[in-house]
């Protein structure tokens, strides 16, 4: 049976498209770079900031260092205010926590602690892992495996809830079950929003009996 429900952040717990685009465009403007193009806007939702910066720098080490330098002292709060959760998350997550351990595994890095606080989810997650832990970002399985280790749950008893191809690939590589969220992902277990998650979990558990 399922013991751990592990969440991606962006695109699952909230819509971060507006926030992410504003975040990267603000940084790029500080280093005299043009704003994200459409393809970059799409990839910026799922990939780690280090990967977005590296792709834009195209091997220019000085430019890459400038991007990282801008992030060190920037105020994240304006970008958190642009996040769009589908509903009040804390009551939903606490209800889910009565039945499962909860985890958060995301390609975000330095923003994770402040993000959890902003969403009112302090004390909700039994385990958290992110790119801040200096492991390979998704689609590598490292972040998910680290979250599993911290939760003390075997991969076969855990499900990852994600919204992108790299989430699905990471879950498969980690040996976990997967539930897709939204229109950016194709999977046989797919829900529109996490409001439908409990029913999806019940169907998954029924299929494992």
């Amino acid at each position: 049976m399922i013991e751990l429900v592990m969440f991606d952040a962006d695109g699952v717990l909230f819509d971060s498209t507006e926030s992410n685009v504003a975040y990267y465009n603000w940084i790029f403007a500080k280093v005299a770079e043009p704003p994200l193009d459409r393809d970059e806007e799409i990839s910026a939702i799922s990939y780690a900031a280090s990967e977005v910066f590296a792709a834009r720098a195209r091997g220019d080490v000085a430019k890459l260092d400038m991007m990282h330098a801008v992030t060190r002292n920037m105020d994240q709060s304006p970008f958190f205010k642009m996040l769009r959760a589908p509903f009040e998350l804390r009551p939903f997550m606490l209800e889910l926590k009565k039945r499962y351990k909860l985890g958060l595994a995301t390609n975000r890095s330095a923003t994770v602690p402040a993000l959890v606080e902003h969403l009112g989810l302090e004390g909700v997650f039994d385990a958290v892992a992110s790119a801040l832990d200096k492991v390979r970002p998704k689609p590598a399985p490292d972040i998910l495996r680290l979250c599993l280790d911290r939760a003390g749950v075997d991969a076969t008893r855990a499900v990852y809830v994600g919204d992108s191809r790299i989430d699905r690939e990471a879950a498969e590589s980690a040996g976990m079950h997967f539930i897709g969220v939204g229109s950016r992902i194709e999977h046989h277990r797919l829900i529109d929003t996490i409001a439908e998650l409990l029913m999806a979990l019940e169907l998954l558990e029924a299929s494992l009996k």
Side-chain angles (χ1 to χ4, degrees), residues 67-82:
M67 293 175 189
H68 284 294
V70 170
T71 67
R72 292 189 188 109
N73 298 308
M74 66 186 294
D75 180 9
Q76 302 285 349
S77 58
F79 307 104
F80 286 157
K81 292 176 182 177
M82 297 179 188

Side-chain angles (χ1 to χ4, degrees), residues 85 87-97 102 116-117 119-125:
F87 46 76
E88 189 176 354
L89 291 172
R90 188 174 182 85
F92 173 81
M93 299 295 273
L94 290 177
E95 191 64 29
L96 199 63
K97 192 175 173 68
L102 301 183
V116 170
E117 180 180 358
L119 295 173
L121 297 179
E122 305 98 317
V124 166
F125 296 109

Side-chain angles (χ1 to χ4, degrees), residues 14-141:
F14 47 78
D15 181 347
S16 62
T17 303
E18 179 186 6
S19 175
N20 283 341
V21 169
Y23 170 81
Y24 287 113
N25 285 346
W26 190 88
I27 293 168
F28 289 165
K30 291 293 183 180
V31 297
E33 279 287 303
L36 295 168
D37 63 30
R38 180 55 183 159
D39 289 339
E40 288 175 318
E41 288 181 1
I42 294 171
S43 64
I45 298 171
S46 301
Y47 285 88
S50 59
E51 294 177 298
V52 175
F53 293 153
R56 173 56 74 95
R58 298 181 181 87
D60 187 330
V61 176
K63 184 180 294 184
L64 184 61
D65 288 345
M66 288 169 56
M67 293 175 189
H68 284 294
V70 170
T71 67
R72 292 189 188 109
N73 298 308
M74 66 186 294
D75 180 9
Q76 302 285 349
S77 58
F79 307 104
F80 286 157
K81 292 176 182 177
M82 297 179 188
L83 300 176
R84 302 285 181 260
F87 46 76
E88 189 176 354
L89 291 172
R90 188 174 182 85
F92 173 81
M93 299 295 273
L94 290 177
E95 191 64 29
L96 199 63
K97 192 175 173 68
K98 293 177 182 178
R99 299 177 58 171
Y100 307 99
K101 287 185 175 181
L102 301 183
L104 178 66
T106 171
N107 272 349
R108 282 180 176 260
S109 53
T111 60
V112 171
L115 177 67
V116 170
E117 180 180 358
H118 173 77
L119 295 173
L121 297 179
E122 305 98 317
V124 166
F125 296 109
D126 297 279
V128 175
S130 71
L132 190 62
D133 290 298
K134 306 301 182 184
V135 295
R136 292 182 301 167
K138 298 175 294 182

Side-chain angles (χ1 to χ4, degrees), residues 108-195:
R108 282 180 176 260
S109 53
T111 60
V112 171
L115 177 67
V116 170
E117 180 180 358
H118 173 77
L119 295 173
L121 297 179
E122 305 98 317
V124 166
F125 296 109
D126 297 279
V128 175
S130 71
L132 190 62
D133 290 298
K134 306 301 182 184
V135 295
R136 292 182 301 167
K138 298 175 294 182
D142 303 35
I143 290 174
L144 277 64
R145 286 175 175 163
L146 181 58
C147 194
L148 287 168
D149 289 344
R150 289 174 173 173
V153 176
D154 186 84
T156 60
R157 294 181 174 272
V159 58
Y160 190 51
V161 185
D163 72 311
S164 70
R165 174 187 54 80
I166 69 170
D167 294 333
R168 185 186 66 225
E169 291 177 359
E172 290 171 351
S173 296
M176 297 176 61
H177 302 286
F178 182 76
I179 294 174
V181 180
S183 60
R184 298 195 308 120
I185 178 70
E186 294 182 2
H187 196 263
H188 62 279
R189 283 190 292 271
L190 186 64
I191 57 179
D192 289 330
T193 75
I194 57 170

